[in-house]
């Protein structure tokens, strides 16, 4: 089984977000980049398939050379090889086209992508790749088992979950639950050393449209200070929620 | 030309988001000089949509579509958009709508903006404001394609009743067997509980509750308010509550009208997950808890003393 794991290179979840150049660009100054957390669940699940079922795991990313440490980390965690598509990820459709091309050329059976990346939160790439590749597609996937070409998956729905059966080839929009957080793999020294010698192929992008672009960024308006209410004055809280905020 | 909305329903009844989408589309239609068409799946009485500005309803009735199927629904929406010459297709940001939006966008060669938080900033060029960086910022996004797909964030526009009279038309899209590659074997739903996705009010607990045995406090408060329950990441990591209740950057986003955080200090990832909520109330014994910086109302106090009083006082208030 050949598995491709899509890796987004995103600001760490503790990052403060700022913009430069008259609010037209994201300010990367002082920001630490990590593997997108939703992708990390997919990557660890893929390594499980590699260890238990003999799958090969390739990681792929659309980005410039600055994203290579993120791919090397994925290799240190256990991926067999990596592909960097040498382009600036301009929008979800552009990224999906690049990934679909890699999938077409690589003959993958399973593609694991996070259901969304924690930078632009578009949540569109897995579905677009599925549409372009004509793969079965499960979004918001929290459990995945594969037996031959038969797949059992669980998808989160509002207020519960759905048990699904499907077949390969398959693309997953994955999230927390694919593996337990405590089982997420951290690179060890041996993994880090081995990762240096694993293949990281750089491929050039194919021509693709960019359908959307961010023209300006804004931060939420500054909030007025919290209204503190004495712990023995619950009536006042109820009064404020009813008459001022009008939410009860 | 028209604007097409996907009026989401469950068991034959529209979800609230359907009315929000209709209200939103009506307002956009006014500025574009166009009409609003809604597509529905297996809803026998679609008349309610006419109260929110829908001009035409395309009713799909097909037992194969009783269970949500992303590819089949996306195919039907794409065909409806073509039939109506829709230049704008608006869906919500629920789990199901997010599942099918990108499929719709690709099949229509449309640019797609998700998590849209308001009316277009400009219609030529077409620009919308959307949340990004897990609600830590917004971007104004320009869509350059002829047909555009928007995913509207929940509670970002509200429901605006408007008198209109909608015509209804049966619509039978051609759906291929190949669309049903994903088979739903069974569904597990917590019955009788308000879900985070549907909730106007969310009551959330953190480690300050000290243990799962104290969750009755959160549930009782939620019950008085008709609210959904939620929790912070450490609480779900400790196994006190299911992962589905974890609110935050790597959990569920909450865009409720009222979010009450009890015993949650307010890590940056948690705040990011609830930032779209309109009114935030924080109850915490630590006056230095970072959550107080983003809250609208706060009580510095022990949850085990404050919350029981709040429950009793709310019961009395509701009984008035």
């Amino acid at each position: 089984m050949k598995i491709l794991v899509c890796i987004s290179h995103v600001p760490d979840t503790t990052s403060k977000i700022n913009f430069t150049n008259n609010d037209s660009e994201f300010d990367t100054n002082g920001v630490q980049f990590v593997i997108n957390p939703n992708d990390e669940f997919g990557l660890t699940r893929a390594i499980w398939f590699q260890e238990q079922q003999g799958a090969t795991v390739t990681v792929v990313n659309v980005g410039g050379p600055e994203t290579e440490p993120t791919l090397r980390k994925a290799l240190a965690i256990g991926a067999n090889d990596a592909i960097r598509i040498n382009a600036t990820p301009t929008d979800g459709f552009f990224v999906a086209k690049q990934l679909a091309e890699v999938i077409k050329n690589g003959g993958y059976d399973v593609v694991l992508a996070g259901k969304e990346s924690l930078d632009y939160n578009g949540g569109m790439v897995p579905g677009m790749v599925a549409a372009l590749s004509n793969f079965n597609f499960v979004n918001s996937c929290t459990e995945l088992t594969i037996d031959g070409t038969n797949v059992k998956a669980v998808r989160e729905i509002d207020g519960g979950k759905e048990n699904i059966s499907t077949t390969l080839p398959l693309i997953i929009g994955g999230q927390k639950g694919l593996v337990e957080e405590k089982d997420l793999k951290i690179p060890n020294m041996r993994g880090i050393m081995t990762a240096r010698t694993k293949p990281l192929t750089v491929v050039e992008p194919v021509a693709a449209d960019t359908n959307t672009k961010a023209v300006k960024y804004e931060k939420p308006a500054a909030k007025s200070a919290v209204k503190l209410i004495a712990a023995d004055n619950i009536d006042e809280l109820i009064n404020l929620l009813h008459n001022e905020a009008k939410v009860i | 030309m028209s604007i097409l909305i996907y009026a989401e329903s469950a068991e034959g009844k529209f979800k609230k988001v359907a009315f929000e989408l209709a209200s939103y589309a009506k307002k956009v239609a006014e500025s574009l000089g166009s009409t609003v068409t809604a597509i529905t799946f297996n809803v026998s009485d679609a008349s309610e949509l006419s109260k929110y500005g829908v001009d035409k309803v395309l009713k799909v009735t097909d037992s194969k579509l009783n269970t949500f199927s992303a590819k089949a629904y996306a195919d039907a929406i794409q065909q409806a958009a073509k039939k109506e010459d829709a230049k704008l297709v608006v869906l919500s940001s629920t789990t199901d709508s997010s599942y099918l939006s990108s499929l719709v966008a690709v099949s229509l060669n449309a640019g797609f903006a998700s998590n849209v938080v308001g009316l277009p900033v400009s219609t030529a060029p077409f620009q919308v404001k959307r949340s990004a960086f897990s609600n830590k910022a917004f971007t104004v996004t320009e869509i350059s394609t002829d047909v555009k797909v928007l995913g509207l964030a929940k509670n970002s526009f509200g429901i605006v009743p408007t008198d209109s009279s909608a015509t209804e038309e049966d619509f039978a899209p051609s759906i291929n067997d190949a669309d049903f590659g994903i088979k739903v074997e069974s569904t597990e739903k917590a019955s009788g509980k308000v879900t985070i996705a549907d909730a106007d009010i969310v009551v959330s607990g953190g480690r300050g509750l000290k243990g799962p045995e104290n969750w009755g406090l959160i549930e009782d408060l939620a019950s008085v308010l008709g609210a959904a329950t939620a929790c912070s990441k450490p609480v779900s990591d400790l196994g006190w509550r299911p992962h589905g209740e974890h609110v935050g950057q790597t959990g569920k986003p909450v865009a409720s009208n009222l979010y009450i955080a009890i015993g949650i200090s307010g890590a940056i990832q948690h705040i990011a997950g609830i930032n779209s909520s309109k009114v935030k109330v924080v109850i915490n014994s630590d006056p230095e808890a970072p959550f107080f910086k983003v809250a609208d109302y706060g009580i510095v106090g022990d949850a085990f003393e404050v919350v029981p009083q709040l429950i009793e006082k709310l019961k009395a208030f509701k009984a008035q």
Side-chain angles (χ1 to χ4, degrees):
Chain A
M1 182 162 64
K2 286 186 77 175
I3 302 178
L4 183 72
V5 183
C6 307
I7 299 284
S8 246
H9 166 86
V10 301
D12 178 85
T13 57
T14 58
S15 302
K16 296 243 186 331
I17 303 299
N18 291 303
F19 304 102
T20 60
N21 208 359
N22 206 15
D23 287 334
S24 67
E25 280 172 33
F26 172 55
D27 183 359
T28 56
N29 244 326
V31 173
Q32 190 184 349
F33 283 83
V34 296
I35 299 174
N36 178 42
N38 288 316
D39 302 344
E40 211 176 341
F41 291 108
L43 175 62
T44 303
R45 190 67 191 155
I47 300 299
W48 186 92
F49 286 120
Q50 179 201 58
E51 289 169 353
Q52 304 295 322
Q53 298 180 201
T56 61
V57 177
T58 302
V59 289
V60 62
N61 160 259
V62 180
E66 72 283 359
T67 67
E68 286 193 6
T70 299
L71 282 175
R72 288 280 175 211
K73 186 180 171 194
L75 291 170
I77 286 170
N80 300 83
D81 60 344
I83 300 169
R84 178 170 69 80
I85 301 163
N86 188 27
T88 303
T90 44
D91 83 336
F93 183 72
F94 177 87
V95 169
K97 281 285 266 193
Q98 305 308 325
L99 294 173
E101 184 70 13
V102 165
I103 292 162
K104 190 175 82 185
N105 296 333
Y108 297 97
D109 306 294
V110 181
V111 180
L112 290 161
K115 68 165 183 175
E116 68 173 8
S117 62
L118 296 189
D119 47 7
Y120 289 89
N121 310 106
M124 60 183 80
V125 170
M128 287 183 166
V129 173
L132 293 168
S133 306
N134 207 21
F135 276 28
N136 286 322
F137 170 45
V138 180
N139 204 19
S140 307
C141 181
T142 55
E143 291 176 41
L144 178 67
T145 53
I146 301 169
D147 179 9
T149 59
N150 294 319
V151 176
K152 296 245 180 265
V154 175
R155 167 174 93 91
E156 189 175 274
I157 55 173
D158 292 338
K161 58 185 190 175
E162 211 170 61
N163 299 303
I164 284 166
S165 66
T166 185
T167 52
L168 301 181
L170 174 73
I171 175 155
I172 291 292
Q175 61 178 61
K176 185 176 174 178
L178 275 177
V179 295
E180 291 295 322
E181 191 142 347
K182 64 178 169 46
D183 296 329
L184 284 174
K185 292 201 177 265
I186 299 163
N188 55 26
M189 190 47 75
R190 186 166 168 271
I192 293 166
M193 298 305 285
T194 325
R196 290 183 187 170
T197 58
K198 287 182 178 172
L200 192 162
T201 314
V202 178
V203 300
E204 291 305 313
V206 291
D209 290 334
T210 292
N211 295 332
T212 62
K213 67 175 176 194
V215 290
K216 190 175 183 304
Y217 296 93
E218 287 173 23
K219 300 232 298 191
K223 263 189 53 59
S224 50
V226 59
K227 276 192 187 168
L228 284 178
I229 298 139
D232 57 0
N233 195 4
I234 302 290
D235 288 327
E236 177 62 4
L237 176 65
I238 293 173
N239 172 42
L240 288 167
L241 292 178
H242 182 63
N243 293 313
E244 187 178 80
K246 299 189 193 308
V247 287
I248 61 168
Chain B
M1 181 204 145
S2 74
I3 297 175
L4 179 72
I5 63 165
Y6 162 46
E8 203 171 321
S9 58
E11 287 154 17
K13 286 211 163 71
F14 290 116
K15 294 186 179 175
K16 245 175 69 182
V17 291
F19 305 133
E20 185 173 29
L21 284 195
S23 308
Y24 178 85
K26 175 68 180 173
K27 196 74 188 167
V28 180
E30 280 170 6
S31 61
L32 293 176
S34 68
T35 59
V36 178
T37 301
I39 180 168
T40 67
F41 293 90
N42 296 334
V43 177
S44 53
D45 179 9
S47 62
E48 227 177 335
L49 289 174
S50 66
K51 293 182 199 156
Y52 304 98
V54 171
D55 300 293
K56 181 176 177 183
V57 183
L58 294 179
K59 293 173 75 172
V60 179
T61 309
D62 186 337
S63 60
K64 287 205 297 291
L65 303 176
N66 275 341
T67 306
F68 173 81
S69 164
K71 188 135 193 301
Y73 275 47
D75 263 8
I77 293 168
Q78 180 254 349
Q79 288 170 45
K82 289 246 158 100
K83 171 178 146 56
E84 294 296 304
D85 189 26
K87 299 295 181 206
L88 189 63
V89 180
V90 189
L91 302 100
S92 79
S93 295
T94 62
T95 312
D96 283 356
S97 287
S98 304
Y99 193 171
L100 58 85
S101 298
S102 48
L103 303 176
V104 172
V106 170
S107 62
L108 289 170
N109 292 320
F112 170 37
S114 58
N115 301 322
V116 171
V117 294
L119 290 167
V121 176
S122 139
T123 51
F126 194 90
Q127 295 179 338
V128 283
K129 190 165 153 181
R130 62 182 300 276
S131 72
F133 297 100
S134 306
N135 297 315
K136 292 179 198 167
F138 300 101
T139 76
V140 174
T141 295
E142 187 170 310
I143 309 179
S144 51
T145 46
D146 182 33
V147 181
K148 298 154 185 78
V149 174
L150 303 183
L152 185 68
K154 188 185 159 241
N155 277 338
S156 59
F157 186 73
I159 293 173
V160 186
T162 318
D163 273 338
S164 65
S165 61
T167 57
E168 295 189 10
E169 185 180 314
D170 289 330
F171 177 55
S174 76
I175 308 282
N176 296 320
D177 286 346
D179 284 348
F180 297 95
I182 302 289
K183 291 187 183 59
V184 178
E185 302 290 350
S186 62
T187 301
E188 297 168 40
K189 261 190 146 172
S191 59
K193 281 186 74 179
V194 184
T195 66
I196 295 176
D198 297 330
D200 286 328
I201 303 178
V202 174
V203 178
S204 192
R207 257 187 305 196
L209 269 293
K210 296 192 164 58
E213 66 281 5
N214 297 321
W215 230 256
L217 271 184
I218 301 290
E219 279 161 352
D220 289 349
L221 180 56
S223 155
V224 180
L225 290 165
T229 57
C231 69
S232 64
K233 182 171 181 292
V235 164
S236 79
D237 287 349
L238 288 163
W240 296 358
R241 300 298 297 169
H243 286 315
E245 289 195 6
H246 160 203
V247 162
Q249 208 167 349
T250 54
K252 277 207 170 5
V254 171
S256 57
N257 286 327
L258 172 60
Y259 184 79
I260 304 180
I262 301 167
I264 301 176
S265 61
I268 190 168
Q269 299 94 333
H270 189 89
I271 304 288
I274 60 103
N275 240 349
S276 316
S277 291
K278 293 205 170 66
V279 176
K280 297 147 200 140
V281 174
V282 170
I283 300 170
N284 202 301
S285 56
D286 175 10
E288 301 300 319
F291 220 143
F292 284 115
K293 290 199 173 67
V294 298
D296 298 282
Y297 305 107
I299 291 182
V300 179
D302 182 347
F304 296 100
E305 287 168 21
V306 173
V307 178
Q309 278 189 62
L310 182 56
I311 293 168
E312 289 314 309
K313 299 259 183 189
L314 277 169
K315 277 185 185 161
F317 168 77
K318 294 272 178 184
Q320 274 171 28

